[in-house]
Amino acid sequence: MSKLNFKNKFIKYTTIIIVLIITIVVYYNFAVRINPPVVSNISAIKLERKEITKNIYTCDKSWFKKNGVGLWELYLEGDDFELGAKNGILTKELVKFQEVAFIESLKKMVPSESYLKFLKYFIAWFNRNIDDYIPLEYQKEIYGISFNASPEFNYISTPYHRLLNYHGAHDIGHAVQNMSLVKCTAFGVKGNRSEDGSIIVGRNMDFYVGDDFAKNKIVAFYKPKRGHKFSMITWGGMIGVISGMNDQGLTITLNSAAAKIPTSAKTPVSILARQILQYASTINEAYAIAKRTKLFVAECFFVSSAKDNQFAIIEKTPDSTAIYQEKDDDLILTNHFQSINLKNTEDNLKSINESASLYRYNRVKELLDRKEKHDVNSFAEILRNQKGKADANIGMANEKAVNQLIAHHSIIFMPNKLKFWISTGPYPLGSYICYDLNKVFSDSLNILSNIFDSDLTIPADTFLNSNTYEKFKQYKLLTLKLEQSIKDKNIKNFSNEMISNYLQLNPEFFYPYYLSGEYYRIKGDKQNALKNYNIALTKEIPKKSERDLILKAIEKTNN
């Protein structure tokens, strides 16, 4: 072959490859582009925020304030885009704070820059059609918020595209991470199991992506142009519902369940919960909305209704919708399906056998059965309980406990009275303050005074001021440092004495013994490594995958 022919062929094939790459890039960018919805009137973005006094702001008829116990309160009224625009104007600092906290947590979980870049493109592709599954009114609301999102993260995507994708983060997290970020507990009583016969529902929202993410909780009150007035517990930039109650006395909370890893996005679970809260007043209405909505993960929705004087669990997978109710006056939900249709699926049975869900379910039942009748105070006691079955000490932060010391928020509803109690934190340990929707949505509300009913406050858990809690805070801090040192295979900042003291901070939990075993293995001390691994195996280990990890570490050390 002559040099000229070789050169011509080289140029030809190189040109083809370049054109192909450009075509793929152009197609990818076109496919993942999500344009904002068309809004005929965006004048609401020109509204101004006025500071009435420190930490109290108004915007038209909406307002935002920080109460005396550290929770933010947000009141919004208007149509879809207007709700979002006012939300963004009032909470713009918290929208940025939440995005910073989320991105920083993501970087800690995925420290590799190259893998983070891959995730960015993967999620953009995975969610490329997500706007097809989010109702237009919620797209407009998110778009309204996006005008006040920080430009600091525009390297990820446009503000609207980012906020839209964040609403699917919960779903992607519990699907890809095998639900390791989302392990919630919910339960309810009514009739003969309740002191006054009213419905009581309690739940711990155990969604953990770092302490910063849970710092600025918002108790939001919505008066939309369409649908019911409602309240929900949320954070900056989030319009989906995780826990909420409407003015019809319907409540909803979410608990993840097990299903196959999805291949593309559908409706985020929090958006479905928002639809139910805004447009349903009975369990049948909630079920009808759920049935016609497509999800891309498995989820359970604990719904209670004052109109029905009943509660139920709506169970959904990407393919099925079922409803579960008990004949008795109590109902418990952890992280597995219970309906006839879904309880025997392969994924559900595997989850029951390999996760902490069934153990936690049985523990809640045990605690409920200790009292014939319950009230909000006894519910708070259960939500705060850290023990295992038969009150066994299973260590702090154990996933088998009702209170895993990771909850983003903890809440108690009394839908018949339109009242709910929200924990001021940290976790379910702080005082629970009470909101009455009748008061909040009344025309006579004075935002300069407390809008919660201070006379109905449930005092903070005494554990919060104990020496044991101080040990737990030290344990969390040292665990993060030790995990990072082990990951980096650089343990020079730790000593045998420090490890011994570390183990005393949370001596009944399996995890510090596993980490200590890893420390000794890296150090080359086989005897102490195996000793700690074997002690870990004697503790109450939440999941099969965690036990397998220890057994694998023992095998690795022996070899």
Side-chain angles (χ1 to χ4, degrees), residues 204 380 383-386 396 403-407 409-410 423-432 458-466 468-469 472-473:
N204 282 340
L383 290 166
R384 289 168 170 168
N385 193 282
Q386 298 180 50
M396 294 180 285
N403 178 13
Q404 303 165 40
L405 294 173
I406 62 169
H409 64 263
S410 180
S423 174
T424 57
Y427 323 120
L429 303 176
S431 59
Y432 285 83
I458 300 172
D461 192 339
T462 55
F463 175 77
L464 195 58
N465 297 314
S466 69
T468 308
Y469 181 63
F472 174 71
K473 289 195 290 185

PDB file of all heavy atoms in Angstrom, residues 204 380 383-386 396 403-407 409-410 423-432 458-466 468-469 472-473:
ATOM      1  N   ASN A 204     -41.152   7.502  61.867  1.00  0.00           N
ATOM      2  CA  ASN A 204     -39.799   8.041  61.792  1.00  0.00           C
ATOM      3  C   ASN A 204     -39.368   8.014  60.334  1.00  0.00           C
ATOM      4  O   ASN A 204     -39.409   6.964  59.687  1.00  0.00           O
ATOM      5  CB  ASN A 204     -38.819   7.214  62.626  1.00  0.00           C
ATOM      6  CG  ASN A 204     -38.907   7.511  64.099  1.00  0.00           C
ATOM      7  OD1 ASN A 204     -39.411   8.560  64.510  1.00  0.00           O
ATOM      8  ND2 ASN A 204     -38.437   6.587  64.931  1.00  0.00           N
ATOM      9  N   ALA A 380     -44.852   8.835  71.035  1.00  0.00           N
ATOM     10  CA  ALA A 380     -43.523   9.444  71.083  1.00  0.00           C
ATOM     11  C   ALA A 380     -42.524   8.511  71.748  1.00  0.00           C
ATOM     12  O   ALA A 380     -41.374   8.384  71.309  1.00  0.00           O
ATOM     13  CB  ALA A 380     -43.580  10.778  71.822  1.00  0.00           C
ATOM     14  N   LEU A 383     -41.574   5.849  69.177  1.00  0.00           N
ATOM     15  CA  LEU A 383     -40.725   6.413  68.120  1.00  0.00           C
ATOM     16  C   LEU A 383     -39.305   6.677  68.611  1.00  0.00           C
ATOM     17  O   LEU A 383     -38.357   6.680  67.823  1.00  0.00           O
ATOM     18  CB  LEU A 383     -41.339   7.706  67.585  1.00  0.00           C
ATOM     19  CG  LEU A 383     -42.630   7.536  66.767  1.00  0.00           C
ATOM     20  CD1 LEU A 383     -43.328   8.874  66.576  1.00  0.00           C
ATOM     21  CD2 LEU A 383     -42.347   6.886  65.423  1.00  0.00           C
ATOM     22  N   ARG A 384     -39.148   6.866  69.914  1.00  0.00           N
ATOM     23  CA  ARG A 384     -37.834   7.145  70.488  1.00  0.00           C
ATOM     24  C   ARG A 384     -37.113   5.891  70.968  1.00  0.00           C
ATOM     25  O   ARG A 384     -35.958   5.964  71.387  1.00  0.00           O
ATOM     26  CB  ARG A 384     -37.991   8.101  71.674  1.00  0.00           C
ATOM     27  CG  ARG A 384     -38.365   9.514  71.277  1.00  0.00           C
ATOM     28  CD  ARG A 384     -38.785  10.339  72.480  1.00  0.00           C
ATOM     29  NE  ARG A 384     -38.911  11.768  72.124  1.00  0.00           N
ATOM     30  CZ  ARG A 384     -39.481  12.678  72.908  1.00  0.00           C
ATOM     31  NH1 ARG A 384     -39.974  12.314  74.093  1.00  0.00           N
ATOM     32  NH2 ARG A 384     -39.533  13.934  72.525  1.00  0.00           N
ATOM     33  N   ASN A 385     -37.762   4.741  70.885  1.00  0.00           N
ATOM     34  CA  ASN A 385     -37.207   3.519  71.482  1.00  0.00           C
ATOM     35  C   ASN A 385     -36.004   2.993  70.689  1.00  0.00           C
ATOM     36  O   ASN A 385     -36.073   2.795  69.484  1.00  0.00           O
ATOM     37  CB  ASN A 385     -38.288   2.442  71.550  1.00  0.00           C
ATOM     38  CG  ASN A 385     -37.873   1.291  72.436  1.00  0.00           C
ATOM     39  OD1 ASN A 385     -37.090   0.438  72.030  1.00  0.00           O
ATOM     40  ND2 ASN A 385     -38.384   1.267  73.641  1.00  0.00           N
ATOM     41  N   GLN A 386     -34.894   2.742  71.385  1.00  0.00           N
ATOM     42  CA  GLN A 386     -33.656   2.290  70.750  1.00  0.00           C
ATOM     43  C   GLN A 386     -33.336   0.823  71.014  1.00  0.00           C
ATOM     44  O   GLN A 386     -32.322   0.318  70.526  1.00  0.00           O
ATOM     45  CB  GLN A 386     -32.476   3.130  71.253  1.00  0.00           C
ATOM     46  CG  GLN A 386     -32.568   4.600  70.937  1.00  0.00           C
ATOM     47  CD  GLN A 386     -31.370   5.351  71.465  1.00  0.00           C
ATOM     48  OE1 GLN A 386     -30.222   4.960  71.239  1.00  0.00           O
ATOM     49  NE2 GLN A 386     -31.617   6.431  72.187  1.00  0.00           N
ATOM     50  N   MET A 396     -26.524   1.549  69.836  1.00  0.00           N
ATOM     51  CA  MET A 396     -27.098   2.767  69.259  1.00  0.00           C
ATOM     52  C   MET A 396     -26.891   2.788  67.750  1.00  0.00           C
ATOM     53  O   MET A 396     -25.849   2.390  67.254  1.00  0.00           O
ATOM     54  CB  MET A 396     -26.444   3.989  69.905  1.00  0.00           C
ATOM     55  CG  MET A 396     -26.758   4.143  71.383  1.00  0.00           C
ATOM     56  SD  MET A 396     -25.967   5.593  72.137  1.00  0.00           S
ATOM     57  CE  MET A 396     -24.256   5.041  72.263  1.00  0.00           C
ATOM     58  N   ASN A 403     -35.951   3.604  66.680  1.00  0.00           N
ATOM     59  CA  ASN A 403     -35.172   4.839  66.634  1.00  0.00           C
ATOM     60  C   ASN A 403     -33.726   4.498  66.315  1.00  0.00           C
ATOM     61  O   ASN A 403     -32.969   4.063  67.175  1.00  0.00           O
ATOM     62  CB  ASN A 403     -35.271   5.573  67.982  1.00  0.00           C
ATOM     63  CG  ASN A 403     -34.437   6.841  68.016  1.00  0.00           C
ATOM     64  OD1 ASN A 403     -33.961   7.317  66.988  1.00  0.00           O
ATOM     65  ND2 ASN A 403     -34.269   7.389  69.209  1.00  0.00           N
ATOM     66  N   GLN A 404     -33.354   4.717  65.057  1.00  0.00           N
ATOM     67  CA  GLN A 404     -32.003   4.393  64.594  1.00  0.00           C
ATOM     68  C   GLN A 404     -31.043   5.572  64.735  1.00  0.00           C
ATOM     69  O   GLN A 404     -29.900   5.498  64.299  1.00  0.00           O
ATOM     70  CB  GLN A 404     -32.063   3.963  63.121  1.00  0.00           C
ATOM     71  CG  GLN A 404     -32.998   2.790  62.873  1.00  0.00           C
ATOM     72  CD  GLN A 404     -33.328   2.625  61.397  1.00  0.00           C
ATOM     73  OE1 GLN A 404     -32.465   2.779  60.538  1.00  0.00           O
ATOM     74  NE2 GLN A 404     -34.583   2.304  61.091  1.00  0.00           N
ATOM     75  N   LEU A 405     -31.532   6.665  65.339  1.00  0.00           N
ATOM     76  CA  LEU A 405     -30.733   7.878  65.534  1.00  0.00           C
ATOM     77  C   LEU A 405     -30.202   8.438  64.205  1.00  0.00           C
ATOM     78  O   LEU A 405     -29.070   8.902  64.111  1.00  0.00           O
ATOM     79  CB  LEU A 405     -29.580   7.625  66.512  1.00  0.00           C
ATOM     80  CG  LEU A 405     -30.002   7.319  67.957  1.00  0.00           C
ATOM     81  CD1 LEU A 405     -28.796   6.905  68.791  1.00  0.00           C
ATOM     82  CD2 LEU A 405     -30.693   8.519  68.588  1.00  0.00           C
ATOM     83  N   ILE A 406     -31.044   8.356  63.174  1.00  0.00           N
ATOM     84  CA  ILE A 406     -30.700   8.953  61.875  1.00  0.00           C
ATOM     85  C   ILE A 406     -31.874   9.720  61.269  1.00  0.00           C
ATOM     86  O   ILE A 406     -31.742  10.306  60.198  1.00  0.00           O
ATOM     87  CB  ILE A 406     -30.235   7.895  60.843  1.00  0.00           C
ATOM     88  CG1 ILE A 406     -31.359   6.887  60.556  1.00  0.00           C
ATOM     89  CG2 ILE A 406     -28.957   7.195  61.284  1.00  0.00           C
ATOM     90  CD1 ILE A 406     -31.084   5.986  59.373  1.00  0.00           C
ATOM     91  N   ALA A 407     -33.032   9.740  61.928  1.00  0.00           N
ATOM     92  CA  ALA A 407     -34.259  10.253  61.306  1.00  0.00           C
ATOM     93  C   ALA A 407     -34.133  11.698  60.850  1.00  0.00           C
ATOM     94  O   ALA A 407     -33.680  12.559  61.607  1.00  0.00           O
ATOM     95  CB  ALA A 407     -35.432  10.125  62.273  1.00  0.00           C
ATOM     96  N   HIS A 409     -36.863  13.366  60.127  1.00  0.00           N
ATOM     97  CA  HIS A 409     -37.895  13.909  61.005  1.00  0.00           C
ATOM     98  C   HIS A 409     -38.738  12.781  61.579  1.00  0.00           C
ATOM     99  O   HIS A 409     -38.741  11.659  61.077  1.00  0.00           O
ATOM    100  CB  HIS A 409     -38.788  14.928  60.276  1.00  0.00           C
ATOM    101  CG  HIS A 409     -39.585  14.350  59.142  1.00  0.00           C
ATOM    102  ND1 HIS A 409     -39.173  14.422  57.821  1.00  0.00           N
ATOM    103  CD2 HIS A 409     -40.783  13.695  59.102  1.00  0.00           C
ATOM    104  CE1 HIS A 409     -40.069  13.853  57.042  1.00  0.00           C
ATOM    105  NE2 HIS A 409     -41.062  13.398  57.800  1.00  0.00           N
ATOM    106  N   SER A 410     -39.425  13.099  62.665  1.00  0.00           N
ATOM    107  CA  SER A 410     -40.329  12.163  63.321  1.00  0.00           C
ATOM    108  C   SER A 410     -41.644  12.894  63.540  1.00  0.00           C
ATOM    109  O   SER A 410     -41.642  14.067  63.959  1.00  0.00           O
ATOM    110  CB  SER A 410     -39.731  11.708  64.658  1.00  0.00           C
ATOM    111  OG  SER A 410     -40.584  10.790  65.310  1.00  0.00           O
ATOM    112  N   SER A 423     -41.189  16.426  65.604  1.00  0.00           N
ATOM    113  CA  SER A 423     -40.024  16.509  66.484  1.00  0.00           C
ATOM    114  C   SER A 423     -39.116  17.643  66.048  1.00  0.00           C
ATOM    115  O   SER A 423     -38.866  17.840  64.859  1.00  0.00           O
ATOM    116  CB  SER A 423     -39.248  15.193  66.456  1.00  0.00           C
ATOM    117  OG  SER A 423     -38.044  15.323  67.190  1.00  0.00           O
ATOM    118  N   THR A 424     -38.622  18.388  67.015  1.00  0.00           N
ATOM    119  CA  THR A 424     -37.711  19.494  66.713  1.00  0.00           C
ATOM    120  C   THR A 424     -36.284  19.010  66.517  1.00  0.00           C
ATOM    121  O   THR A 424     -35.408  19.796  66.153  1.00  0.00           O
ATOM    122  CB  THR A 424     -37.745  20.534  67.848  1.00  0.00           C
ATOM    123  OG1 THR A 424     -37.399  19.897  69.087  1.00  0.00           O
ATOM    124  CG2 THR A 424     -39.136  21.143  67.972  1.00  0.00           C
ATOM    125  N   GLY A 425     -36.025  17.733  66.754  1.00  0.00           N
ATOM    126  CA  GLY A 425     -34.706  17.160  66.529  1.00  0.00           C
ATOM    127  C   GLY A 425     -33.759  17.442  67.669  1.00  0.00           C
ATOM    128  O   GLY A 425     -34.070  18.219  68.562  1.00  0.00           O
ATOM    129  N   PRO A 426     -32.597  16.786  67.671  1.00  0.00           N
ATOM    130  CA  PRO A 426     -32.150  15.853  66.634  1.00  0.00           C
ATOM    131  C   PRO A 426     -32.901  14.521  66.699  1.00  0.00           C
ATOM    132  O   PRO A 426     -33.253  14.067  67.789  1.00  0.00           O
ATOM    133  CB  PRO A 426     -30.661  15.651  66.973  1.00  0.00           C
ATOM    134  CG  PRO A 426     -30.587  15.877  68.456  1.00  0.00           C
ATOM    135  CD  PRO A 426     -31.613  16.929  68.757  1.00  0.00           C
ATOM    136  N   TYR A 427     -33.140  13.963  65.523  1.00  0.00           N
ATOM    137  CA  TYR A 427     -33.823  12.673  65.403  1.00  0.00           C
ATOM    138  C   TYR A 427     -35.191  12.755  66.113  1.00  0.00           C
ATOM    139  O   TYR A 427     -35.805  13.811  66.106  1.00  0.00           O
ATOM    140  CB  TYR A 427     -32.926  11.547  65.931  1.00  0.00           C
ATOM    141  CG  TYR A 427     -31.458  11.755  65.607  1.00  0.00           C
ATOM    142  CD1 TYR A 427     -30.485  11.850  66.607  1.00  0.00           C
ATOM    143  CD2 TYR A 427     -31.028  11.908  64.289  1.00  0.00           C
ATOM    144  CE1 TYR A 427     -29.152  12.068  66.311  1.00  0.00           C
ATOM    145  CE2 TYR A 427     -29.688  12.128  63.978  1.00  0.00           C
ATOM    146  CZ  TYR A 427     -28.758  12.218  64.998  1.00  0.00           C
ATOM    147  OH  TYR A 427     -27.443  12.442  64.699  1.00  0.00           O
ATOM    148  N   PRO A 428     -35.696  11.704  66.744  1.00  0.00           N
ATOM    149  CA  PRO A 428     -36.960  11.858  67.477  1.00  0.00           C
ATOM    150  C   PRO A 428     -36.734  12.292  68.936  1.00  0.00           C
ATOM    151  O   PRO A 428     -37.627  12.174  69.756  1.00  0.00           O
ATOM    152  CB  PRO A 428     -37.566  10.443  67.439  1.00  0.00           C
ATOM    153  CG  PRO A 428     -36.681   9.609  66.602  1.00  0.00           C
ATOM    154  CD  PRO A 428     -35.341  10.280  66.601  1.00  0.00           C
ATOM    155  N   LEU A 429     -35.540  12.775  69.248  1.00  0.00           N
ATOM    156  CA  LEU A 429     -35.184  13.040  70.642  1.00  0.00           C
ATOM    157  C   LEU A 429     -35.668  14.401  71.142  1.00  0.00           C
ATOM    158  O   LEU A 429     -35.941  14.577  72.322  1.00  0.00           O
ATOM    159  CB  LEU A 429     -33.666  12.951  70.819  1.00  0.00           C
ATOM    160  CG  LEU A 429     -33.014  11.628  70.415  1.00  0.00           C
ATOM    161  CD1 LEU A 429     -31.500  11.715  70.557  1.00  0.00           C
ATOM    162  CD2 LEU A 429     -33.566  10.477  71.253  1.00  0.00           C
ATOM    163  N   GLY A 430     -35.749  15.387  70.258  1.00  0.00           N
ATOM    164  CA  GLY A 430     -36.184  16.714  70.670  1.00  0.00           C
ATOM    165  C   GLY A 430     -37.660  16.745  71.011  1.00  0.00           C
ATOM    166  O   GLY A 430     -38.393  15.774  70.810  1.00  0.00           O
ATOM    167  N   SER A 431     -38.119  17.874  71.533  1.00  0.00           N
ATOM    168  CA  SER A 431     -39.538  18.016  71.866  1.00  0.00           C
ATOM    169  C   SER A 431     -40.378  17.921  70.589  1.00  0.00           C
ATOM    170  O   SER A 431     -39.921  18.275  69.500  1.00  0.00           O
ATOM    171  CB  SER A 431     -39.784  19.354  72.556  1.00  0.00           C
ATOM    172  OG  SER A 431     -39.386  20.428  71.714  1.00  0.00           O
ATOM    173  N   TYR A 432     -41.599  17.409  70.729  1.00  0.00           N
ATOM    174  CA  TYR A 432     -42.561  17.383  69.633  1.00  0.00           C
ATOM    175  C   TYR A 432     -43.501  18.572  69.814  1.00  0.00           C
ATOM    176  O   TYR A 432     -44.148  18.698  70.858  1.00  0.00           O
ATOM    177  CB  TYR A 432     -43.392  16.107  69.640  1.00  0.00           C
ATOM    178  CG  TYR A 432     -42.707  14.846  69.168  1.00  0.00           C
ATOM    179  CD1 TYR A 432     -41.899  14.102  70.027  1.00  0.00           C
ATOM    180  CD2 TYR A 432     -42.898  14.370  67.867  1.00  0.00           C
ATOM    181  CE1 TYR A 432     -41.290  12.930  69.608  1.00  0.00           C
ATOM    182  CE2 TYR A 432     -42.298  13.200  67.444  1.00  0.00           C
ATOM    183  CZ  TYR A 432     -41.498  12.478  68.317  1.00  0.00           C
ATOM    184  OH  TYR A 432     -40.907  11.311  67.901  1.00  0.00           O
ATOM    185  N   ILE A 458     -44.819  17.939  73.545  1.00  0.00           N
ATOM    186  CA  ILE A 458     -44.308  16.734  74.221  1.00  0.00           C
ATOM    187  C   ILE A 458     -42.844  17.003  74.541  1.00  0.00           C
ATOM    188  O   ILE A 458     -42.055  17.278  73.631  1.00  0.00           O
ATOM    189  CB  ILE A 458     -44.448  15.492  73.317  1.00  0.00           C
ATOM    190  CG1 ILE A 458     -45.922  15.259  72.957  1.00  0.00           C
ATOM    191  CG2 ILE A 458     -43.853  14.257  73.994  1.00  0.00           C
ATOM    192  CD1 ILE A 458     -46.129  14.179  71.906  1.00  0.00           C
ATOM    193  N   PRO A 459     -42.447  16.938  75.804  1.00  0.00           N
ATOM    194  CA  PRO A 459     -41.071  17.300  76.185  1.00  0.00           C
ATOM    195  C   PRO A 459     -40.025  16.427  75.494  1.00  0.00           C
ATOM    196  O   PRO A 459     -40.304  15.316  75.047  1.00  0.00           O
ATOM    197  CB  PRO A 459     -41.050  17.093  77.707  1.00  0.00           C
ATOM    198  CG  PRO A 459     -42.476  17.114  78.123  1.00  0.00           C
ATOM    199  CD  PRO A 459     -43.260  16.560  76.976  1.00  0.00           C
ATOM    200  N   ALA A 460     -38.806  16.972  75.416  1.00  0.00           N
ATOM    201  CA  ALA A 460     -37.682  16.239  74.811  1.00  0.00           C
ATOM    202  C   ALA A 460     -37.369  14.985  75.599  1.00  0.00           C
ATOM    203  O   ALA A 460     -37.625  14.889  76.814  1.00  0.00           O
ATOM    204  CB  ALA A 460     -36.453  17.150  74.754  1.00  0.00           C
ATOM    205  N   ASP A 461     -36.805  14.009  74.916  1.00  0.00           N
ATOM    206  CA  ASP A 461     -36.374  12.768  75.549  1.00  0.00           C
ATOM    207  C   ASP A 461     -35.217  13.070  76.509  1.00  0.00           C
ATOM    208  O   ASP A 461     -34.288  13.810  76.175  1.00  0.00           O
ATOM    209  CB  ASP A 461     -35.906  11.796  74.453  1.00  0.00           C
ATOM    210  CG  ASP A 461     -35.700  10.376  74.962  1.00  0.00           C
ATOM    211  OD1 ASP A 461     -35.526  10.193  76.174  1.00  0.00           O
ATOM    212  OD2 ASP A 461     -35.700   9.461  74.121  1.00  0.00           O
ATOM    213  N   THR A 462     -35.276  12.507  77.708  1.00  0.00           N
ATOM    214  CA  THR A 462     -34.203  12.725  78.686  1.00  0.00           C
ATOM    215  C   THR A 462     -32.864  12.191  78.187  1.00  0.00           C
ATOM    216  O   THR A 462     -31.809  12.650  78.628  1.00  0.00           O
ATOM    217  CB  THR A 462     -34.545  12.046  80.022  1.00  0.00           C
ATOM    218  OG1 THR A 462     -34.828  10.647  79.788  1.00  0.00           O
ATOM    219  CG2 THR A 462     -35.782  12.679  80.665  1.00  0.00           C
ATOM    220  N   PHE A 463     -32.891  11.247  77.245  1.00  0.00           N
ATOM    221  CA  PHE A 463     -31.660  10.698  76.666  1.00  0.00           C
ATOM    222  C   PHE A 463     -30.815  11.801  76.031  1.00  0.00           C
ATOM    223  O   PHE A 463     -29.588  11.713  75.985  1.00  0.00           O
ATOM    224  CB  PHE A 463     -32.022   9.634  75.618  1.00  0.00           C
ATOM    225  CG  PHE A 463     -30.848   9.079  74.864  1.00  0.00           C
ATOM    226  CD1 PHE A 463     -29.996   8.146  75.454  1.00  0.00           C
ATOM    227  CD2 PHE A 463     -30.586   9.488  73.556  1.00  0.00           C
ATOM    228  CE1 PHE A 463     -28.909   7.637  74.756  1.00  0.00           C
ATOM    229  CE2 PHE A 463     -29.494   8.979  72.857  1.00  0.00           C
ATOM    230  CZ  PHE A 463     -28.662   8.047  73.461  1.00  0.00           C
ATOM    231  N   LEU A 464     -31.483  12.859  75.555  1.00  0.00           N
ATOM    232  CA  LEU A 464     -30.800  13.945  74.857  1.00  0.00           C
ATOM    233  C   LEU A 464     -29.768  14.637  75.751  1.00  0.00           C
ATOM    234  O   LEU A 464     -28.771  15.168  75.260  1.00  0.00           O
ATOM    235  CB  LEU A 464     -31.834  14.952  74.354  1.00  0.00           C
ATOM    236  CG  LEU A 464     -31.406  15.975  73.310  1.00  0.00           C
ATOM    237  CD1 LEU A 464     -30.875  15.300  72.055  1.00  0.00           C
ATOM    238  CD2 LEU A 464     -32.570  16.893  72.947  1.00  0.00           C
ATOM    239  N   ASN A 465     -29.997  14.628  77.047  1.00  0.00           N
ATOM    240  CA  ASN A 465     -29.087  15.284  77.984  1.00  0.00           C
ATOM    241  C   ASN A 465     -28.250  14.292  78.785  1.00  0.00           C
ATOM    242  O   ASN A 465     -27.681  14.640  79.819  1.00  0.00           O
ATOM    243  CB  ASN A 465     -29.881  16.182  78.944  1.00  0.00           C
ATOM    244  CG  ASN A 465     -30.588  17.308  78.226  1.00  0.00           C
ATOM    245  OD1 ASN A 465     -30.000  17.979  77.390  1.00  0.00           O
ATOM    246  ND2 ASN A 465     -31.865  17.498  78.533  1.00  0.00           N
ATOM    247  N   SER A 466     -28.162  13.070  78.294  1.00  0.00           N
ATOM    248  CA  SER A 466     -27.448  12.023  79.031  1.00  0.00           C
ATOM    249  C   SER A 466     -25.990  11.903  78.587  1.00  0.00           C
ATOM    250  O   SER A 466     -25.621  12.343  77.483  1.00  0.00           O
ATOM    251  CB  SER A 466     -28.143  10.672  78.824  1.00  0.00           C
ATOM    252  OG  SER A 466     -27.988  10.237  77.479  1.00  0.00           O
ATOM    253  N   THR A 468     -24.703   9.128  77.820  1.00  0.00           N
ATOM    254  CA  THR A 468     -24.725   8.136  76.738  1.00  0.00           C
ATOM    255  C   THR A 468     -24.888   8.823  75.379  1.00  0.00           C
ATOM    256  O   THR A 468     -24.273   8.417  74.392  1.00  0.00           O
ATOM    257  CB  THR A 468     -25.865   7.122  76.945  1.00  0.00           C
ATOM    258  OG1 THR A 468     -25.788   6.587  78.262  1.00  0.00           O
ATOM    259  CG2 THR A 468     -25.759   5.976  75.953  1.00  0.00           C
ATOM    260  N   TYR A 469     -25.702   9.872  75.345  1.00  0.00           N
ATOM    261  CA  TYR A 469     -25.867  10.602  74.087  1.00  0.00           C
ATOM    262  C   TYR A 469     -24.572  11.320  73.701  1.00  0.00           C
ATOM    263  O   TYR A 469     -24.213  11.379  72.521  1.00  0.00           O
ATOM    264  CB  TYR A 469     -27.014  11.600  74.180  1.00  0.00           C
ATOM    265  CG  TYR A 469     -27.238  12.359  72.894  1.00  0.00           C
ATOM    266  CD1 TYR A 469     -27.614  11.695  71.726  1.00  0.00           C
ATOM    267  CD2 TYR A 469     -27.058  13.738  72.835  1.00  0.00           C
ATOM    268  CE1 TYR A 469     -27.805  12.384  70.538  1.00  0.00           C
ATOM    269  CE2 TYR A 469     -27.248  14.435  71.644  1.00  0.00           C
ATOM    270  CZ  TYR A 469     -27.618  13.754  70.502  1.00  0.00           C
ATOM    271  OH  TYR A 469     -27.799  14.438  69.325  1.00  0.00           O
ATOM    272  N   PHE A 472     -22.525   8.878  72.091  1.00  0.00           N
ATOM    273  CA  PHE A 472     -22.976   8.597  70.732  1.00  0.00           C
ATOM    274  C   PHE A 472     -22.433   9.632  69.749  1.00  0.00           C
ATOM    275  O   PHE A 472     -21.998   9.289  68.642  1.00  0.00           O
ATOM    276  CB  PHE A 472     -24.508   8.560  70.664  1.00  0.00           C
ATOM    277  CG  PHE A 472     -25.032   8.418  69.265  1.00  0.00           C
ATOM    278  CD1 PHE A 472     -24.889   7.213  68.576  1.00  0.00           C
ATOM    279  CD2 PHE A 472     -25.633   9.489  68.614  1.00  0.00           C
ATOM    280  CE1 PHE A 472     -25.352   7.078  67.270  1.00  0.00           C
ATOM    281  CE2 PHE A 472     -26.098   9.359  67.315  1.00  0.00           C
ATOM    282  CZ  PHE A 472     -25.953   8.156  66.646  1.00  0.00           C
ATOM    283  N   LYS A 473     -22.435  10.891  70.144  1.00  0.00           N
ATOM    284  CA  LYS A 473     -21.914  11.939  69.263  1.00  0.00           C
ATOM    285  C   LYS A 473     -20.421  11.726  68.998  1.00  0.00           C
ATOM    286  O   LYS A 473     -19.948  11.897  67.873  1.00  0.00           O
ATOM    287  CB  LYS A 473     -22.168  13.318  69.885  1.00  0.00           C
ATOM    288  CG  LYS A 473     -23.634  13.720  69.868  1.00  0.00           C
ATOM    289  CD  LYS A 473     -23.828  15.192  70.150  1.00  0.00           C
ATOM    290  CE  LYS A 473     -23.524  15.552  71.579  1.00  0.00           C
ATOM    291  NZ  LYS A 473     -23.842  16.978  71.873  1.00  0.00           N
TER     292      LYS A 473
END
